[in-house]
Amino acid sequence: MNESLALVDQFLQTDLDEWTRQVVRRHFDPGTGSPYWLKRAAELDFDPLEITRYDELSALGPFPLSVLRKLDPADLVPQAVPRPIAGRVFDSGGTTGDPKRILYTPAMLQHRQAWRHWSFHTEGFRPDGNWVQGTPTGPHVIGLGVQELSSYGGRMYIVDIDPRWVKRLIRAGKLAEADEYTDHVLGQITNILASQPIDYLNTTSALLTALIRRAPELAAKLKGVRVSGTHCTPAMFRTFKETLNGGSGAIVGRSYGNTFGTSAGIPDEDDGEILPYLPNYPNVTARVVDKQDWTREVGFGEQGQVMLNVLHPDLLLPNFLERDQAVRYDTGAAYPCDGVANVMPLQITRNAPEGIY
């Protein structure tokens, strides 16, 4: 863990313009760049190697998300990374169509784990705690929590979830079947909580809400919880604080993100009315932009659409427009980049349900 904390301290000292230059040069290098970006470079009316500042990434335009449904994920990885490519391919949840895919190289996994360990430490989770992880695993990046928590020091009990099945049921109007599947998952979680010495739970806000409704006495025994995904409202957050650990000093850790980029929860404000997140800098930064004009960043305290810039030496996804909205959050002098707060989906419909995510 100490190595992870030192890495995050190093990340937070990074000059973002210099980092941008390094990442752009790596992906657009004519000899060793990434196949996808070298092809795109030939279609641009400017030399992308002339990008020297973070703010100039807008010249590349919004990243076309549909590309990630068909592209070989290795084509986004610079050829400087030895072939054949070693790594793990992760899928999005497929909420708005076929899943989108990217490959995580070992360096990307190390970066993510360092930030996760930083989160666990700053939130106050004991390294020797016992955990239940009730989340999607398999092709979903949230499943990395098993490795990240166990490497932090915890003992893990795991309950798997298939969010795509729940979303499919909701789209088809089969709400009773969706509820039955949720009961199936909750049954496994409550069995572990009732029979094993569990300190903490790692899950989604929706599932924790359902657990509190089904078995409040088991939820009350938890010393803390980490909720991940996109939708933790102030009301949810206060309910979690009031229910867990008998309403006395429970840890409610938060993270916001998906397959493409993650942000760590930082302390809430105004009794949970403001729930801010810090992107996993410098590999992930976030802007909050006008919903009708992605080139216009909204002011601090204003709501807009979340736009990620993924700037990893092994993955470049500029101007990545998320299907989430948030408030632009001023981290002040504490951190070198903006945060986002009070994240929620741009729109929830039967065709794009969140389900138990």
Side-chain angles (χ1 to χ4, degrees):
M1 182 182 67
N2 289 336
E3 180 182 350
S4 292
L5 299 180
L7 273 175
V8 172
D9 284 343
Q10 178 183 326
F11 297 152
L12 292 171
Q13 302 303 313
T14 303
D15 179 85
L16 192 52
D17 287 337
E18 174 57 29
W19 183 256
T20 299
R21 288 191 288 273
Q22 291 179 26
V23 171
V24 168
R25 283 199 299 266
R26 180 171 167 89
H27 284 272
F28 285 100
D29 183 280
T32 59
S34 54
Y36 171 80
W37 285 112
L38 292 178
K39 181 180 178 182
R40 279 286 306 277
E43 302 166 353
L44 298 172
D45 59 4
F46 68 97
D47 183 355
L49 292 174
E50 294 175 355
I51 293 174
T52 60
R53 296 187 299 110
Y54 176 77
D55 288 343
E56 295 171 351
L57 287 170
S58 59
L60 293 171
F63 187 86
L65 305 188
S66 60
V67 164
L68 300 179
R69 293 192 168 103
K70 300 288 186 180
L71 186 72
D72 179 347
D75 285 349
L76 285 164
V77 181
Q79 295 169 89
V81 177
R83 264 54 176 178
I85 290 286
R88 184 171 168 185
V89 175
F90 288 99
D91 291 7
S92 68
T95 299
T96 57
D98 291 341
K100 299 179 283 289
R101 298 177 178 89
I102 59 171
L103 185 145
Y104 271 57
T105 64
M108 293 170 66
L109 292 172
Q110 181 190 37
H111 175 270
R112 179 189 154 94
Q113 179 167 289
W115 268 107
R116 287 296 199 180
H117 285 181
W118 180 89
S119 291
F120 307 151
H121 175 75
T122 57
E123 289 162 346
F125 291 102
R126 297 194 335 261
D128 61 347
N130 293 338
W131 289 81
V132 174
Q133 171 141 333
T135 70
T137 55
H140 305 286
V141 75
I142 192 173
L144 284 171
V146 174
Q147 169 60 29
E148 292 158 350
L149 283 164
S150 59
S151 63
Y152 181 69
R155 188 162 83 233
M156 302 297 299
Y157 297 74
I158 304 161
V159 175
D160 191 22
I161 299 170
D162 184 354
R164 294 179 188 161
W165 181 243
V166 178
K167 292 171 184 179
R168 178 176 173 179
L169 292 173
I170 293 172
R171 287 191 197 99
K174 298 179 179 180
L175 302 185
E177 288 90 338
D179 288 343
E180 185 177 356
Y181 183 80
T182 300
D183 285 343
H184 165 67
V185 171
L186 287 174
Q188 296 173 74
I189 293 175
T190 55
N191 176 271
I192 298 170
L193 293 180
S195 64
Q196 299 296 312
I198 302 300
D199 301 293
Y200 307 126
L201 173 65
N202 188 31
T203 190
T204 68
S205 295
L207 263 179
L208 180 55
T209 298
L211 172 66
I212 290 171
R213 195 160 46 237
R214 172 172 172 155
E217 74 287 354
L218 293 177
K221 293 180 180 180
L222 291 166
K223 298 180 178 67
V225 67
R226 290 202 90 251
V227 288
S228 303
T230 61
H231 197 194
C232 180
T233 66
M236 286 177 170
F237 179 77
R238 284 192 290 270
T239 297
F240 301 159
K241 295 285 284 188
E242 292 164 1
T243 304
L244 271 60
N245 201 31
S248 176
I251 302 170
V252 180
R254 297 171 285 109
S255 62
Y256 155 59
N258 54 30
T259 311
F260 312 104
T262 305
S263 298
I266 51 180
D268 65 286
E269 298 176 8
D270 298 338
D271 191 29
E273 280 301 308
I274 300 174
L275 301 175
Y277 300 86
L278 176 71
N280 289 179
Y281 183 91
N283 292 18
V284 180
T285 58
R287 284 182 157 168
V288 182
V289 300
D290 189 306
K291 296 176 186 178
Q292 307 303 320
D293 179 6
W294 71 271
T295 65
R296 189 186 78 82
E297 192 167 32
V298 304
F300 288 118
E302 295 181 8
Q303 189 182 75
Q305 185 171 5
V306 178
M307 185 177 76
L308 294 184
N309 277 306
V310 179
L311 292 169
H312 195 282
D314 293 346
L315 181 67
L316 173 62
L317 299 175
N319 311 313
F320 193 102
L321 287 164
E322 292 280 20
R323 55 183 183 84
D324 304 319
Q325 62 186 14
V327 172
R328 184 182 177 196
Y329 181 79
D330 186 359
T331 61
Y335 299 108
C337 65
D338 286 357
V340 296
N342 293 22
V343 182
M344 64 177 59
L346 269 174
Q347 184 179 31
I348 302 176
T349 67
R350 182 171 289 180
N351 289 328
E354 289 300 312
I356 54 177
Y357 230 166

